[in-house]
Amino acid sequence: MHLIWLEDFIELARTRSFSRAAENRFVTHPAFGRRIKALEQWVGAELVVRAHPVSLTAAGRLFLDAATHSTDVLYAARAQLQDASSPVEKTLRVATGRTLARTFFPDWYESINQRFGPFPVSLSTGGAQEVILRLGTGDADLLVIYSSPTTRLLIDPMRYESLTLAREILLPVAAVDAKGRARFKLPAAGTAGAAALAPIPWLGFSQSLTLRGVLAKHLAGLSRKIALRMVYEADSYESIHEMARRGAGVAWLPQRLVQEDLSERRLKIIGEPEMRVNFDISLYRMRGNDNALVNAIWEGVSADAIEQA
């Protein structure tokens, strides 16, 4: 049994709606439903009546008291133990995406370590909804994430504040042949009849990846549409990266992820500059955070942003 299931159940009892509770818990409706079902299986009884609005069974009303009491006790105990720890020994908890953990976080962590001195850090990775939830439940002090329409929709600006850490670019890339030429080409967006050309094999982002919305918005805004044929879709930038290296199709990937392949000429940037997509890497924290190290890092990042402006 997971503590997160208890929190899901409490939110469902509060909202009386699977869709609203799932949205508030930063998880998809189907995934939320599976977690409630898993909790019922663990308890050994049905807890909710799946109607509109949702209501609790007799067992659900009884279990709600236990769930609420248990979570209150556990979080109170954790807060007490954290307060008793020496501030110097407190670990900075950072949640981020798997790709950012590899391509961006090490350099950023090194830079703040040099500025503020050595300190322990605990890095957790996952999908966008998963890491946003960790920030919301207090399991992370900071969130480092790609900025996109999805993240801006999921993160309530009334509860969280953000800063821009760095700029990033989605680059259209393709593998090269034996002569160093790109295996695939993109027509210029303004080329007459571009959409009538044979569709280009495309390695796409699944719905769970935050940059899917960024790319879709950019492609939709081009003056002429590009004929793309989806041949592969994944919820991992690294998986798409590997397929691009194998020559399976065209892919738009973060510059930091492909820069080594570009230097080694295993991948090549294709298309006109207008095919490239600019976006931000953002830092989030909950408003009112009283962690001294978090506040120091936040002020340092803010100062850097002002200097660069």
Side-chain angles (χ1 to χ4, degrees), residues 100-117:
L100 282 168
R102 171 189 166 192
T103 63
F104 176 78
F105 183 80
D107 287 340
W108 184 67
Y109 172 66
E110 184 177 352
S111 69
I112 58 176
N113 217 298
Q114 292 174 349
R115 175 179 291 186
F116 301 106

Side-chain angles (χ1 to χ4, degrees), residues 191-212:
T191 301
L197 298 176
I200 302 164
W202 176 34
L203 313 175
F205 303 144
S206 71
Q207 291 185 353
S208 63
L209 292 181
T210 56
L211 295 181
R212 178 186 175 109

